[in-house]
Amino acid sequence: MTNNEKVLVVDFGGQYNQLIARRVRECNVYCEIISYRAGIEAIRAAAPKGIIFTGGPNSVYLEDSPTMDPAVFELGIPVLGICYGSQLMMHLLGGHVCRAPEREYGKTLVHVDTKSPMFQDVNPDTICWMSHNDYIETPAPGFAVTAYTDNCPVAAVENQEKNLYAVQFHPEVLHTQEGKKMLHNFVYEVCGCKGDWKMDSFVERSVTALREKIGDGKVLCALSGGVDSSVAAAMLSKAVGNQLTCVFVDHGLLRKNEMEQVCEIFGGGEFEMNFICVDARQRYYDKLAGVEEPEKKRKIIGEEFVRIFEEEAKKIGRVDFLVQGTIYPDVVESGLGGESTVIKSHHNVGGLPDYVDFKEIVEPLRDLFKDEVRQAGRELGLPEYLVSRQPFPGPGLAVRIIGEVTPEKVAMVQDADAIWREEIAKAGLEGQLSQYFAALTNMRSVGVMGDERTYDYAIALRAVTTVDFMTAESAEIPWSVLQTVTSRIVNEVKHVNRVLYDCTGKPPATIEFE
Ligand code: XMP
C-alpha cells in the first residue's frame, strides 16, 4: 500500500469521466473514479485531496437525476464541478439551472477571469469544448462568475473561501486548448497537491497487489501479442514468475503472418514464460458460419476464447486466475465504465460469457489508456517494437469483415491489409499513424477487368490518428500512396474490384467497422 495523495472523480454518467482521471494522473497525482451512487460516506472514507464531479446526460432539476448529499461541500475538501457537475453544485447550493435558450456544442470562445486560481496563466480569451442543453442562469449565493461566453453568461463560477469551483465546459478534452492547465491549476493551486505519483508507482503498486492476490496460485494469461496483453503478461511475469502460463489462440482471424511472429517473440526464449499456442482456426470458422450480427460475432468469439482457456487450464491443473489485457476504452465502450452507455462489447470485457470457470479474472490495466499502457510497458522493460505496435482488436479480422466471416473473406482482408501496411511503411508514414488496416465491406459492385464484367467485393482502407483511441481523426494519406495501394489490391487480391478510403472520424464512426 502507498499513501499517495489522491483526487477522487465522482462519476455522474459522462463519456469523458476517465479522461478527467487521466488528466489528473498526467499531473502526477493519483486519481480514482467512483460512482455518485457510492455516496458521501465513500468520499469521506477515501479522504481525497480534491473531488471532481463529472458531466452527465441528465438535467439537475428533473426528479431521479443523479445527485449528491450537499454536505459534500462542507467536508473542507476542494470540489470542481464539470458540466453536469457544475450545474449540480449550483442547484444544490441554491443557484438556478434551467434549459438554455441556445444549446452550445463544440469549440467555443470563453472569456475567463485570470485572477481566478483555476485560470492562472490561462489566456483571457480561450477556446473550450462546450456540450450542454442546460445552463446556470443564476449562480448560488457566495459564488462569483469567473467566465462567460456569448451564449452562456455563467461559464465558470467559484467560491474561493469554500474552495468550490465549477466550469460549464470540459477541460478534460483536448479541444479545450488550455484545459490541461486549468486542471493542473485545480490540482496544485486549489487542492495543494505535490505530485507524488508516477507510472512507475503504478507498475510497482500493481505488481505488489498482484503478488498478494495470487499468492502461490497458478495464472493463465490470454496473450494476443498485442500491446495490452503483452504488458499484462510482463506485469504478471514480474509478479509471479513461472506460476504464469501464457496462452495464444490462433482463431484464424489474425493478420497475415501474425501467428508466426507472436510465436517467435513469446515462444522463442526472449521472454521467460511458459507459452502455449493453440490452433483453433477451424473451430472458430465453424462457430461463426452464417453469423452476421456484429454483437453476436463478438460474443461467440469471446465465449470461445474463454472455453479454450478453460481447456488449457485443465491441462495445466489448479489454475485459479485468468489474466486479460483489458484497458479502459474497452471497459467504457462495453458499457461497464461506470454510468455511461454501451458502444460495443469488446471481447475481453462485455463479450465474456456469463459463466467462466476461473476463480477470478484479473485485469491489471483496466484503468489505463493505450498510451499509458505503452508507458507501463516501457517501465517493465518491454522492447520498443512491441510497446509501440499498433493495436489489434481481440476479435481480430472478424470485426473488419462486415457480415458473415468465411476463410475466403479472411484471406482477402489479410492480403489487402498486408499490402496496405507494406505501402505505408514504404512511404514512411508508420510513425504518423495511430492505427491503419484494411476491412472487407459486404458490398459487391460491378467492375470491368480485361474486357470482362466483374461483380466483386469492395475493400475499405482505414488510417487514423488519435492519442487515446476514445476519439480519432481520419488521417490524410497522400493520393499517390492511395493510388499505388488501390492498384496493387485490385491486381493482387482475388475477388476485389474496388477500394474505398474511410474519411470518417470517431465520433461519429468507431475506429473498427463492427
Ligand atoms: P473502436 O472501434 O471501438 O476501437 O473505436 C477503439 C480501439 O479499441 C480496439 N478494439 C478492440 N480491442 N477488443 C480489443 O482488445 C475488442 O473487442 C476491440 N474492439 C475495438 C480498436 O482496434 C481500437 O484500437
Side-chain angles (χ1 to χ4, degrees):
M1 283 302 286
T2 59
N3 293 315
N4 290 116
E5 51 192 16
K6 176 194 307 178
V7 165
L8 205 58
V9 171
V10 181
D11 176 6
F12 287 96
Q15 281 281 336
Y16 302 128
N17 51 30
Q18 257 290 344
L19 269 184
I20 303 172
R22 177 228 165 88
R23 296 282 171 253
V24 174
R25 293 200 291 261
E26 281 173 354
C27 297
N28 297 331
V29 171
Y30 183 63
C31 188
E32 272 174 13
I33 299 183
I34 60 164
S35 165
Y36 74 93
R37 293 174 208 273
I40 189 168
E41 282 319 314
I43 297 177
R44 194 176 287 140
K49 294 278 284 185
I51 300 167
I52 302 179
F53 283 7
T54 73
N58 300 283
S59 288
V60 290
Y61 45 80
L62 297 180
E63 236 178 88
D64 297 334
S65 285
T67 188
M68 181 53 69
D69 183 339
V72 71
F73 303 118
E74 304 297 333
L75 294 175
I77 303 170
V79 183
L80 168 65
I82 295 177
C83 197
Y84 180 85
S86 72
Q87 296 166 2
L88 185 65
M89 184 191 287
M90 291 301 98
H91 178 72
L92 293 174
L93 293 175
H96 188 244
V97 176
C98 59
R99 177 139 294 231
E102 289 208 40
R103 173 173 187 256
E104 273 186 317
Y105 182 81
K107 290 182 186 171
T108 309
L109 185 65
V110 179
H111 310 284
V112 303
D113 178 353
T114 53
K115 289 196 290 303
S116 158
M118 273 300 287
F119 302 127
Q120 195 176 296
D121 297 326
V122 170
N123 212 309
D125 300 320
T126 186
I127 298 289
C128 300
W129 183 258
M130 284 286 193
S131 173
H132 64 117
N133 293 317
D134 292 343
Y135 79 159
I136 300 164
E137 192 186 52
T138 325
F143 280 79
V145 176
T146 52
Y148 64 95
T149 74
D150 288 350
N151 293 315
C152 184
V154 187
V157 287
E158 66 186 32
N159 180 331
Q160 280 195 30
E161 204 184 314
K162 295 198 156 177
N163 268 332
L164 303 179
Y165 293 79
V167 292
Q168 179 56 71
F169 50 85
H170 289 270
E172 69 276 22
V173 304
L174 292 176
H175 299 307
T176 297
Q177 284 170 359
E178 297 180 275
K180 278 188 190 177
K181 203 179 282 172
M182 296 171 193
L183 287 171
H184 188 276
N185 283 343
F186 176 69
V187 166
Y188 283 90
E189 304 305 323
V190 178
C191 303
C193 290
K194 296 188 181 61
D196 62 1
W197 188 84
K198 284 210 296 288
M199 188 51 85
D200 57 358
S201 28
F202 172 81
V203 169
E204 221 173 278
R205 182 201 307 250
S206 304
V207 166
T208 310
L210 287 168
R211 207 172 276 149
E212 264 171 33
K213 179 195 282 257
I214 290 159
D216 60 1
K218 286 191 196 162
V219 188
L220 206 80
C221 177
L223 184 72
S224 72
V227 182
D228 308 340
S229 59
S230 302
V231 173
M235 198 175 260
L236 260 297
S237 167
K238 189 161 179 194
V240 297
N242 62 10
Q243 286 159 251
L244 167 73
T245 302
C246 289
V247 177
F248 171 69
V249 177
D250 180 357
H251 48 19
L253 303 163
L254 298 169
R255 281 171 291 199
K256 201 170 180 173
N257 302 327
E258 182 85 2
M259 193 267 282
E260 292 77 6
Q261 279 169 13
V262 173
C263 290
E264 199 182 313
I265 298 172
F266 292 97
E270 198 167 323
F271 291 92
E272 269 185 59
M273 51 174 72
N274 307 310
F275 177 77
I276 299 171
C277 175
V278 182
D279 180 355
R281 285 175 292 179
Q282 198 53 49
R283 182 166 169 174
Y284 271 91
Y285 293 147
D286 291 345
K287 288 266 173 191
L288 289 169
V291 183
E292 292 182 357
E293 212 272 310
E295 280 298 290
K296 208 162 162 201
K297 277 160 59 175
R298 281 174 174 272
K299 297 268 180 198
I300 290 174
I301 294 167
E303 159 121 31
E304 221 41 35
F305 258 108
V306 173
R307 298 296 163 243
I308 291 173
F309 296 131
E310 287 169 353
E311 289 164 23
E312 293 304 317
K314 283 215 182 72
K315 290 183 202 160
I316 299 167
R318 278 200 327 106
V319 177
D320 286 333
F321 301 95
L322 175 67
V323 178
Q324 296 205 102
T326 313
I327 68 169
Y328 185 71
D330 303 338
V331 178
V332 73
E333 300 203 338
S334 297
L336 305 174
E339 307 293 332
S340 50
T341 39
V342 183
I343 311 293
K344 54 177 88 162
S345 312
H346 284 202
H347 91 259
N348 37 16
V349 267
L352 281 184
D354 294 338
Y355 178 72
V356 176
D357 196 11
F358 286 92
K359 193 166 117 195
E360 202 171 333
I361 303 232
V362 180
E363 298 175 315
L365 311 176
R366 202 180 161 90
D367 289 336
L368 301 187
F369 285 87
K370 196 81 184 186
D371 51 325
E372 293 180 310
V373 174
R374 294 192 209 275
Q375 214 180 317
R378 291 185 188 104
E379 291 294 334
L380 283 159
L382 287 178
E384 189 56 37
Y385 72 90
L386 235 182
V387 169
S388 55
R389 287 189 96 182
Q390 61 162 318
F392 185 67
L397 300 179
V399 294
R400 297 179 181 173
I401 294 172
I402 313 269
E404 189 188 2
V405 174
T406 64
E408 295 72 30
K409 287 183 178 174
V410 169
M412 274 191 245
V413 190
Q414 281 178 333
D415 290 342
D417 184 68
I419 293 171
W420 183 217
R421 284 191 286 145
E422 209 178 297
E423 292 301 328
I424 283 191
K426 262 195 221 157
L429 295 171
E430 271 170 322
Q432 298 163 35
L433 304 173
S434 311
Q435 196 169 4
Y436 47 98
F437 55 85
L440 185 67
T441 72
N442 209 10
M443 180 188 93
R444 290 170 79 195
S445 65
V446 174
V448 54
M449 245 182 175
D451 293 336
E452 292 227 17
R453 177 186 190 273
T454 57
Y455 185 58
D456 277 329
Y457 285 99
I459 282 282
L461 300 177
R462 186 107 171 102
V464 297
T465 55
T466 171
V467 176
D468 52 33
F469 297 83
M470 295 291 283
T471 60
E473 316 271 347
S474 171
E476 265 184 55
I477 303 290
W479 188 243
S480 57
V481 177
L482 289 173
Q483 271 179 324
T484 310
V485 176
T486 301
S487 82
R488 278 197 62 194
I489 290 177
V490 289
N491 284 323
E492 295 173 37
V493 185
K494 266 208 189 115
H495 302 298
V496 175
N497 66 354
R498 210 173 272 271
V499 175
L500 312 169
Y501 185 67
D502 185 350
C503 302
T504 332
K506 171 185 180 178
T510 54
I511 296 174
E512 302 290 347
F513 279 58
E514 286 192 342

